[in-house]
Amino acid sequence: MPTALPVPPAPDELKLAALTEANRPRQLPLLTRIAELLALSPKVKHLIVRGSLASGTADRLSDVDFLVGVHDGALPAFAAALDDLMTVAAGALLPGWRDTIVADLGGIGYVFLVQHEGVMQQVDLYLAPASRIPMIRREVAGKVLLERPLGTVTASQADAARSCVAERTRRPRSCTELLIEHLVLSVLLHKRIQRGQRFVAYAEWHLLHTATKDLIKTALVPGSLFWGWYHLREELALTPIGRACLGDLDAAITSPAVPSTADVEAALDRVLALTRRACPSALDGLAPAVTAYRTYLELP
């Protein structure tokens, strides 16, 4: 049999380390920073990376997607502090959007928009009671970054965690939360457009229009007895502000079914004007964040 020749070491001038560094996902430093921040709490028992960064298929638009298992007894306090943690310590531009797209796995999904290296990156956190993580891992693929012993979970702690999840996922959203939903969906839509994902863009465009309708109803008829899109004209056409908001909604639903970047930008301008008209208090404290958002939003 032929004898294998020894492979000489690669010469230094090949610069392979530089090539490896250049092809790392640019989200990796952000992933590391968020993981280290979350791991500071001893109540965080599990950190699992999901999505394209876990599977090795990430591109420059990929989000940083974590499953975070928090000890059941600490989940209510951790969820209450999460916005402050992410905005103050992680540099999120806005409070988190309570994700209505993510699958229901017995936890709470949040989307944060974080400025990182001069651009805006999406960070998805799915917060779940640590006692549910073994069940969730049977349904969700990912790479484990952190796994700590759970310790004791009492029945009352498990009940408190379930109640926290139920309250946060079911309660009505405020005008501020609905405005943040528009801002996050705009980022998602820009990604879909750049990737050519027309069917997903169609679905998320409809979600954005529904958020516009919900924002109008929450601002002007919060006690409405009608569900969804029913009786909007009867409820809203009674006042000049209501008629103007109906005009905004009509402009939204008559736009193209699959949006362009210009359509998404026009929708964002429209909802900001609508918010200033119908519920200006929703913008209280958010004006600098919205300015930063538009500064860091990447457009083709």
Side-chain angles (χ1 to χ4, degrees), residues 17-292:
L19 180 63
T20 302
E21 179 68 21
N23 284 279
R24 289 195 318 164
R26 73 175 186 181
Q27 298 92 334
L28 194 56
L30 175 62
L31 184 152
T32 302
R33 179 158 63 91
I34 301 298
E36 290 175 345
L37 176 64
L38 294 170
L40 287 175
S41 171
K43 300 301 183 181
V44 172
K45 302 300 182 181
H46 303 273
L47 274 180
I48 300 169
V49 180
R50 304 197 296 169
S52 57
L53 283 171
S55 64
T57 58
D59 63 19
R60 70 180 191 85
L61 298 174
S62 295
D63 57 286
V64 175
D65 191 348
F66 284 106
L67 170 61
V68 186
V70 180
H71 189 283
D72 298 43
L75 185 72
F78 194 92
L82 187 60
D83 274 342
D84 287 342
L85 177 69
M86 290 299 294
T87 53
V88 175
L93 300 178
L94 297 157
W97 171 51
R98 196 180 75 215
D99 192 345
T100 57
I101 301 173
V102 68
D104 182 6
L105 299 168
I108 318 163
Y110 296 94
V111 177
F112 291 92
L113 303 176
V114 178
Q115 187 279 128
H116 176 67
E117 296 183 352
V119 297
M120 188 159 53
Q121 294 283 358
Q122 178 184 335
V123 176
D124 296 352
L125 300 181
Y126 194 83
L127 212 61
S131 63
R132 284 195 56 85
I133 295 297
M135 292 174 281
I136 295 174
R137 289 179 63 182
R138 289 196 285 268
E139 301 182 45
V140 173
K143 296 292 180 69
V144 176
L145 295 185
L146 176 71
E147 198 157 27
R148 290 168 170 158
L150 176 57
T152 302
V153 176
T154 66
S156 62
Q157 289 173 333
D159 287 344
R162 283 192 292 269
S163 296
C164 171
V165 170
E167 189 277 329
R168 285 181 171 267
T169 53
R170 295 174 190 170
R171 67 172 171 77
R173 288 163 293 169
S174 67
C175 289
T176 298
E177 289 171 320
L178 288 163
L179 176 58
I180 291 170
E181 180 170 352
H182 279 83
L183 297 171
V184 173
L185 286 172
S186 294
V187 171
L188 300 186
L189 282 162
H190 284 306
K191 289 185 183 182
R192 307 311 178 198
I193 293 165
Q194 291 185 57
R195 287 172 169 164
Q197 297 172 318
R198 290 173 55 81
F199 295 115
V200 185
Y202 169 84
E204 291 175 355
W205 192 224
H206 174 70
L207 288 175
L208 189 139
H209 297 337
T210 301
T212 301
K213 178 266 295 178
D214 290 342
L215 176 57
I216 294 169
K217 288 191 69 171
T218 300
L220 300 183
V221 283
S224 174
L225 299 178
F226 301 106
W227 180 83
W229 294 80
Y230 289 92
H231 299 285
L232 289 175
R233 192 163 299 280
E234 292 85 344
E235 288 186 319
L236 296 171
L238 304 176
T239 65
I241 289 178
R243 289 190 290 273
C245 289
L246 279 176
D248 290 330
L249 191 56
D250 194 68
I253 65 172
T254 54
S255 58
V258 179
S260 66
T261 295
D263 293 326
V264 178
E265 281 295 287
L268 186 55
D269 289 338
R270 188 164 53 240
V271 80
L272 287 170
L274 185 159
T275 303
R276 283 189 286 269
R277 180 194 317 125
C279 48
S281 61
L283 283 164
D284 289 350
L286 284 187
V290 172
T291 300

